[in-house]
């Protein structure tokens, strides 16, 4: 039986933070799987920067940009009736034809990629991180200008047509089955893992100090690494800091991430609350600097509305930094975080005060390491299940022309 040739699509830009780091983790595991099982992976990305980053890990990626014809296929696919023409004429997109020329058997999308709509012949595996356009449709980034409708098309087809669906939480499997009638036995749960850059970074007093000095920071700040989307809920965090200042408590906050449309409102809120001297916004930071920034923090504070799981708590646990996290995502946090109501600035302010209680930091650090170990075991089990799916798929594809 010849090797299975699996295309691994890395379509998330580096600036997406966790949206890039988790697919990178998936790729590194798939490389090990291919080496041990005698199969092959071929890595593609539309970003030259990603191709360069992969070389740091000994991975040779292929640049695969998406042309005008591919986007035309996508537009027509969204229109619906084009399916009939495509079926009648057996049309393949330039994207799919290129993969077939490369001898690809299966395409693995490491994100919820719209490019699966370009596949007419090749089977595919899809990754679905969340269903937050359904969970919180009030946010414009998942609702406005047809974004909700676009996601519905993607999620419905992806979860029912994919030969396997990779998710990071069992709750998401339940949601996909209920919302889109996904076949449960096609879902594989592989929890998030800390960024490779953070998990591999070791404490280094001089190096960590250099990173903090670069951004003019002193240790002991609250840290929130997140893009500036409205759903990231920076405003509630700023309101909590203003409430604390009224109690005579001054907390410093460091924000990093790319501006995705919400930065102006955040800047206005900082001025309105008079917090300019307490807030450092350091923009997008290099992945290699994240470990030092987490270690320099007194806590990760993450008031996001989107879940059910997120990457930063895992990264904070990996370096022993306490976590303050929404109670809505208690299933991920367990007892390894101080929980609060993400709609209530007073609840968040109280959580920050509770962080300073004697012994709390040590308790949370120990609980975080235990929580991380639990997720590591679940990730290992998920990888084993994924490997079994791939072997079954390999066998079935021998029954068809390849």
């Amino acid at each position: 039986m010849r090797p299975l040739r699996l295309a691994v699509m890395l379509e998330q830009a580096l600036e997406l933070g966790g949206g890039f780091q988790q697919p990178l983790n998936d790729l590194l595991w798939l490389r090990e799987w291919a080496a041990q099982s005698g199969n092959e992976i071929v890595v593609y990305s539309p970003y030259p920067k990603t191709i360069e980053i992969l070389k740091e890990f000994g991975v040779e990626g292929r640049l695969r940009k998406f042309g005008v014809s591919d986007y035309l296929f996508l537009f027509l696919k969204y229109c619906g009736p084009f399916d009939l023409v495509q079926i009648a004429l057996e049309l393949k997109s330039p994207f799919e034809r290129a993969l077939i020329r490369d001898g690809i058997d299966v395409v693995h999308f490491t994100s919820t990629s719209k490019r699966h709509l370009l596949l007419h012949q090749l089977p595919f595996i899809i990754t679905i991180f969340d269903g937050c356009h359904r969970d919180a449709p009030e946010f414009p980034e998942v609702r406005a200008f047809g974004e909700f409708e676009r996601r519905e098309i993607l999620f419905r087809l992806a979860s029912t047509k994919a030969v396997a669906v990779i998710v990071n939480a069992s709750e998401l499997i339940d949601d996909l089955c209920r919302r889109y009638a996904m076949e449960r036995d096609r879902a594989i749960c592989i929890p998030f893992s800390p960024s490779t850059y953070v998990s591999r970074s070791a404490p280094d007093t001089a190096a960590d100090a250099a990173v903090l000095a670069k951004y003019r920071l002193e240790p002991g700040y609250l840290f929130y690494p997140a893009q500036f989307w409205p759903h990231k809920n920076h405003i509630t965090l700023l309101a909590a800091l203003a409430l604390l200042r009224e109690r005579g408590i001054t907390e410093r906050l460091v924000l990093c991430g790319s501006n995705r449309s919400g930065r102006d409102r955040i800047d206005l809120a900082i001025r309105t609350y008079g917090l300019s001297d307490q807030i450092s916004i350091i923009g997008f930071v290099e992945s290699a600097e994240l470990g030092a920034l987490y270690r320099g923090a007194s806590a990760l504070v993450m008031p996001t509305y989107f879940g059910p799981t997120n990457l930063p708590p895992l990264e904070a646990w990996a370096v022993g930094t306490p976590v303050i996290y929404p109670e809505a995502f208690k299933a991920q946090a367990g007892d390894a975080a101080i929980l609060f109501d993400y709609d209530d600035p007073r609840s968040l302010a109280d959580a920050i005060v509770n962080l300073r209680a004697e012994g709390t930091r040590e308790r949370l650090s120990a609980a975080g390491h235990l929580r991380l170990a639990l997720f590591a075991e679940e990730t290992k089990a998920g990888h084993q299940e994924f490997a079994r799916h791939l072997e079954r798929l390999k066998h079935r594809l021998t029954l068809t022309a390849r």
Side-chain angles (χ1 to χ4, degrees), residues 204-215:
D204 183 317
T205 302
D208 287 0
V211 172
L212 267 60
K214 173 182 176 180
Y215 297 108

Side-chain angles (χ1 to χ4, degrees), residues 82-96:
F82 177 65
D83 287 346
L84 299 177
V85 177
Q86 188 175 16
I87 292 169
L89 300 180
E90 296 187 356
L91 295 177
K92 298 185 183 70
S93 66
F95 171 66
E96 183 170 37

Side-chain angles (χ1 to χ4, degrees), residues 219-257:
Y221 48 82
L222 301 174
F223 185 44
Y224 187 19
Q227 298 178 77
F228 293 101
W229 288 113
H231 75 264
K232 294 297 186 179
N233 202 17
H234 292 83
I235 302 299
T236 294
L237 177 51
L238 297 175
L241 294 184
L243 289 172
L244 288 175
R245 194 182 55 201
E246 292 175 2
R247 303 183 199 176
I249 301 171
T250 300
E251 292 282 355
R252 289 177 297 116
L253 172 66
V254 174
L255 304 175
C256 73

